[in-house]
Amino acid sequence: MPFTQPERPSADSFDGFFRVEYPVLVALGVALTGDRELARDVAQEALLRAFRRWDQVARMDRPGAWCRQVALNLIRDRWRRRRSEQVALGRVQRDLRVVPPPPTPADEFWRAVRELPERQREAIALYYVADRSVAEVAATMATAEGTVKGTLHDARRALAARLGTRAAWEDQ
Amino acid sequence: MSEIDRRAEDAAAALRSDVTPAETDAALAAVRRDATRPTAARSRWSLLAVAATAAAVLIAGLVVIARRDPEATSDLPTGPTVPPVTTGADGTAAPTSLAVGPAPAATSAPATEPETTQAATTVPVTTSPATTVAATEPPVPAAPPEIWDLAYVGDDAIVAIGTSPDLPDVSRLYRSDDQGATWMQLADPESGGQIDAVFTDPDHGYLISSGGTGEEGGVVYATTDGAATWFPLPTDEPAQILNIGVGGGSLHALAVQNGELRLFTSVIGRQDSLSFTGIAWPFGAGGMPRATFAFAGDTGLVTVTMRTLVGAATFENGQWAVSTGLDCLNGGVDGYSSGSEGDFLLACRWGEWGGDDVTPDGTQLSVSTDDGRTLTPVPGPPSAAPGDPNFFDVLARPAVGTIVAGSNRTYVTRDEGVTWEEVDTSPLFQLLTAGDLWVGVAAGDGRPRLRISHDAGVIWELAG
């Protein structure tokens, strides 16, 4: 550039935005994928994209919702690739005796969430992890609030069935 | 609270608590480091462009430009005059009209109503051959994965800034001649880094380019041949241009210069350099500054916002003057629409904006009938009341209606605000119209894409 700017006007506002959104995006990624490294990658990628066009993102009504939309798209893409890789890997390693650490109640819950249909698990993760209102979830998922309410209702009912069945099985 | 609710909230809290402040700080540092990496190799043409810009600035510094005297053009170095640029009176892609006022009568305006056009303004453009640079690359067929900014919308073409198919963080200039079905990636003066663009027709346009440095501002280039060649527009001192607008026969810009936000403009009819108007606002912390230019006929206004309204100025008789009437309470101004009779329709936000943790209190539609000096509220959709989070974001001014787009909902009115119809579309954040063609950008799925409406904004279809 032939000219120099004395300071980046967006730096301070972006830092604060990053510190609020990064933990949420990582938690969202872990909830949806169960893969912490993948979640960190996605969170950083989404926020990097926001930083590079911060003048546009910052003017949006909900910059955080934009980042979560980007993160969801990245998760969908990468999770599908990762699942394909895992299926292939599983065929090779099916006989390996790997003892995983005992799951926590949170692990159990998110594992059940990840068994839900895509829209249901995204709605649950956005609603509880991102701690957003139905309106915020609807904005992020680009759908109507009524649709989100219905999706959340169906997801909760499915989760109750899954977790209840699992709890009953564990009690035996 | 149900058992599922309790378990979900406990599980969500466990996930959030796993991310420590130290991890967040490390991630922030990594993002900043990655963001400073060059996103595209700069070509030799971009280096020539920078050199040409520096030369142009030097030349401009030797020339005293009596910018405020429109008659004093004889002092300027002149180049060959190219075919005139004909712009709509409001500086947008196509002239439109809709009478707006504080107490409109309920009228019915069918979508087929003939368009009332405004008087066009003919703007001759002169080039300076010594600073003309060839574009970096020839046009190639390529569709932008994301659309960031609409530069021109007309029946003959759509010009937009979008992301590069192979480099998703690099912005390029695109043109579609079939309403977004197919695209050509146009040549640009530097390889990527296009920030803002305004075209008055498919051949004549202005572009801010950062040269792919990731800076928030850059240099303004102009083209008169559909982006085949570009020439940089010098400023009287080095300045970082943030936004540009065309209207009233001149090119206008908001720039960072000497630590201030400064308003620049060109001599009327000679859009080959930019000079400081003498109007400046403090450049403090709190968000990215943004200028919204609006023109109706030969008058215009600009509002400069960061988190709140920084300042405003009106353009009349070829000169800018500071305006103090556009306070919009404590909020900023976003979106505009130029009226057929010199009125301006604006969406004034109440409260701060710019961060996800800050929710504006609402938006008030207002109209100015005195060239932007004062505002009068006008009817808006029912949910536009203060306190409603579904505030407006964009306004367009077609011949048959006004559309307002919010964070969640979009509304259109065909009777000057008496009744409103909710539109089913993803949230739109930019709109331009040209006759019956309405073009918007929506980011409903996280990827801003072009949406087209042929029924005055009711049905929006994904282009391409």
Side-chain angles (χ1 to χ4, degrees):
Chain A
M1 287 295 300
F3 309 141
T4 57
Q5 189 173 342
E7 58 179 319
R8 282 184 78 93
S10 62
D12 293 338
S13 62
F14 179 79
D15 285 5
F17 174 78
F18 186 99
R19 289 193 169 91
V20 170
E21 286 299 324
Y22 178 77
V24 173
L25 291 175
V26 172
L28 189 64
V30 173
L32 289 171
T33 69
D35 186 327
R36 178 164 289 277
E37 285 307 310
L38 176 62
R40 286 172 174 153
D41 286 348
V42 165
Q44 287 195 27
E45 177 66 24
L47 288 162
L48 175 62
R49 293 187 185 190
F51 183 71
R52 282 184 165 155
R53 63 198 70 166
W54 183 238
D55 59 330
Q56 294 171 306
V57 175
R59 79 176 68 160
M60 294 178 180
D61 298 332
R62 294 186 170 101
W66 185 88
C67 283
R68 289 188 287 278
Q69 287 175 346
V70 172
L72 285 182
N73 287 333
L74 291 170
I75 287 170
R76 288 173 195 144
D77 292 344
R78 298 188 187 190
W79 184 235
R80 285 166 187 155
R81 287 203 300 268
R82 187 69 63 92
R83 284 177 71 91
S84 300
E85 293 167 1
Q86 287 178 335
V87 168
L89 188 64
R91 288 173 182 153
V92 176
Q93 297 182 332
R94 64 177 53 159
D95 292 333
L96 293 178
R97 297 288 188 263
V98 178
V99 180
T104 66
D107 293 336
E108 285 288 326
F109 179 83
W110 293 117
R111 185 180 302 165
V113 169
R114 288 193 288 275
E115 292 170 354
L116 297 174
E118 185 173 83
R119 298 289 285 180
Q120 289 186 18
R121 64 173 180 261
E122 288 179 356
I124 286 286
L126 286 168
Y127 187 78
Y128 290 105
V129 176
D131 202 16
R132 303 291 163 176
S133 66
V134 168
E136 289 274 352
V137 175
T140 302
M141 298 181 71
T143 190
E145 292 182 26
T147 303
V148 170
K149 288 178 182 175
T151 304
L152 285 172
H153 174 78
D154 292 344
R156 289 192 187 100
R157 191 169 56 183
L159 280 173
R162 290 171 189 272
L163 294 169
T165 300
R166 186 166 299 165
W169 178 80
E170 288 170 347
D171 288 340
Q172 290 178 357
Chain B
M1 178 182 291
S2 71
E3 174 67 12
I4 288 296
D5 275 331
R6 187 188 61 75
R7 291 191 65 170
E9 294 191 358
D10 289 347
L15 288 185
R16 287 195 297 266
S17 65
D18 282 347
V19 184
T20 65
E23 178 189 334
T24 302
D25 286 343
L28 175 58
V31 164
R32 288 193 164 281
R33 184 180 63 244
D34 290 346
T36 59
R37 291 176 183 164
T39 53
R42 303 183 71 176
S43 71
R44 61 192 176 92
W45 286 115
S46 70
L47 297 176
L48 283 176
V50 171
T53 302
V57 170
L58 181 61
I59 293 169
L62 299 175
V63 178
V64 178
I65 302 174
R67 182 200 48 75
R68 291 194 170 189
D69 181 1
E71 302 300 323
T73 57
S74 59
D75 290 339
L76 293 170
T78 58
T81 301
V82 299
V85 181
T86 302
T87 66
D90 60 357
T92 56
T96 58
S97 70
L98 175 69
V100 291
T107 58
S108 176
T112 55
E113 179 183 348
E115 184 176 351
T116 302
T117 58
Q118 301 172 18
T121 303
T122 300
V123 183
V125 172
T126 58
T127 64
S128 181
T131 58
T132 300
V133 297
T136 53
E137 301 158 12
V140 294
E146 297 181 4
I147 297 288
W148 288 0
D149 188 51
L150 291 174
Y152 172 78
V153 167
D155 289 332
D156 47 352
I158 295 172
V159 180
I161 291 175
T163 53
S164 173
D166 51 344
L167 298 168
D169 295 316
V170 173
S171 53
R172 307 298 298 265
L173 195 63
Y174 294 88
R175 169 175 167 163
S176 173
D177 294 335
D178 52 14
Q179 299 185 358
T182 60
W183 293 87
M184 293 288 288
Q185 182 179 294
L186 300 179
D188 46 31
E190 302 188 57
S191 294
Q194 322 311 331
I195 297 170
D196 192 9
V198 176
F199 274 63
T200 53
D201 63 43
D203 288 334
H204 298 82
Y206 305 90
L207 172 74
I208 305 175
S209 176
S210 71
T213 62
E215 295 293 329
E216 307 291 0
V219 178
V220 178
Y221 293 85
T223 182
T224 58
D225 53 13
T229 57
W230 294 88
F231 55 94
L233 300 189
T235 51
D236 44 10
E237 289 182 49
Q240 198 86 11
I241 309 295
L242 301 175
N243 292 111
I244 51 177
V246 174
S250 297
L251 175 70
H252 315 277
L254 179 73
V256 176
Q257 188 181 61
N258 297 332
E260 292 181 316
L261 292 171
R262 291 185 167 185
L263 186 62
F264 283 69
T265 192
S266 70
V267 174
I268 289 181
R270 291 190 55 87
Q271 295 151 326
D272 56 0
S273 65
L274 289 164
S275 298
F276 179 38
T277 61
I279 297 174
W281 296 281
F283 179 21
M288 181 65 194
R290 184 165 70 101
T292 304
F293 291 96
F295 290 90
D298 291 331
T299 62
L301 66 87
V302 61
T303 54
V304 180
T305 56
M306 291 178 75
R307 275 189 181 275
T308 59
L309 184 69
V310 173
T314 58
F315 184 76
E316 193 173 11
N317 298 324
Q319 294 192 19
W320 285 100
V322 172
S323 172
T324 57
L326 302 175
D327 53 1
C328 290
L329 299 180
N330 61 337
V333 177
D334 192 19
Y336 70 89
S337 181
S338 302
S340 59
E341 299 174 355
D343 301 341
F344 298 101
L345 185 62
L346 304 101
C348 297
R349 297 187 180 205
W350 297 28
E352 292 188 335
W353 68 283
D356 196 46
D357 55 337
V358 179
T359 302
D361 300 325
T363 303
Q364 174 68 59
L365 286 183
S366 297
V367 66
S368 174
T369 58
D370 54 6
D371 298 332
R373 293 186 182 85
T374 59
L375 296 178
T376 303
V378 294
S383 63
D388 192 310
N390 297 318
F391 53 91
F392 307 125
D393 203 26
V394 185
L395 300 166
R397 262 205 52 87
V400 294
T402 293
I403 191 167
V404 291
S407 55
N408 288 335
R409 296 175 184 147
T410 299
Y411 299 90
V412 64
T413 178
R414 309 188 195 288
D415 52 15
E416 300 172 1
V418 176
T419 60
W420 292 86
E421 178 182 356
E422 186 169 346
V423 178
D424 183 16
T425 178
S426 300
L428 298 163
F429 63 83
Q430 192 180 13
L431 286 165
L432 283 179
T433 61
D436 293 335
L437 175 64
W438 293 32
V439 178
V441 179
D445 59 355
R447 295 187 174 97
R449 305 276 296 278
L450 202 68
R451 308 262 172 171
I452 303 285
S453 174
H454 293 286
D455 59 0
V458 176
I459 297 176
W460 290 87
E461 297 176 342
L462 195 63

